[in-house]
Amino acid sequence: QVQLVESGGGLVQPGGSLRLSCTASGFTLDDYPIGWFRQAPGKEREGVSCMSVRSGTLYYADSVKGRFTISRDNAKNTLYLQMNSLKPEDTAVYSCARGYYCSGSGAKVYGADYWGKGTLVTVSS
C-alpha cells in the first residue's frame, strides 16, 4: 500500500528553522519525482519545491529560494524540506506528493497520484 506521511511541523518564531519529513512506504522514493506543496489559509495550494528521479534536478519557488532545501535519504525512503529564515507568510499546511514529473514551472510535481495528509507550519511571534 502506497503511503506518504509528513511530520515535523509546528510553531516557530520568525527567523527560525524547521525540518519537515515525508516518509514513503509501498514504493521506492528514488524511483519517482516527488515534491512539496503548501496551502495557506484562504489561498490556493502552491508548489514549494520538487525533485526529479534520482535527485537529478531540483526546483524551488521564488518565494523560498535560498531559504528552503529539499533532499532525500534513500536508506530511510524519506524526503525532507529544511526551512530556514522562516517568515509569517510561510505559514501553511505542507504536503508531499508523488508525481509523474517535476517542473520548474510552479516548482511542483505534475500528475500527482499520491499525497500525504500534510503537516501544519505556523510562523508567528
Side-chain angles (χ1 to χ4, degrees):
Q1 181 183 0
V2 172
Q3 275 193 314
L4 295 166
V5 180
E6 301 94 339
S7 61
L11 174 64
V12 62
Q13 292 187 341
S17 298
L18 280 176
R19 188 178 77 158
L20 305 184
S21 300
C22 168
T23 300
S25 57
F27 71 102
T28 300
L29 200 61
D30 204 30
D31 289 342
Y32 292 85
I34 191 90
W36 289 97
F37 290 79
R38 68 184 181 186
Q39 187 166 21
K43 295 189 176 181
E44 291 189 357
R45 185 169 58 202
E46 63 176 354
V48 175
S49 180
C50 65
M51 174 183 289
S52 65
V53 174
R54 308 286 186 266
S55 306
T57 308
L58 310 179
Y59 293 107
Y60 295 94
D62 288 343
S63 59
V64 308
K65 212 170 282 184
R67 300 188 297 123
F68 290 11
T69 303
I70 191 171
S71 64
R72 65 178 142 198
D73 184 332
N74 292 333
K76 295 182 178 180
N77 215 31
T78 298
L79 179 75
Y80 299 102
L81 186 68
Q82 177 66 44
M83 306 187 296
N84 299 328
S85 303
L86 283 161
K87 305 175 181 180
E89 52 263 43
D90 295 317
T91 295
V93 174
Y94 286 73
S95 304
C96 58
R98 186 183 86 170
Y100 183 66
Y101 67 96
C102 163
S103 173
S105 175
K108 61 184 180 181
V109 292
Y110 287 80
D113 55 356
Y114 287 96
W115 294 80
K117 292 183 178 180
T119 185
L120 176 63
V121 172
T122 303
V123 184
S124 174
S125 54

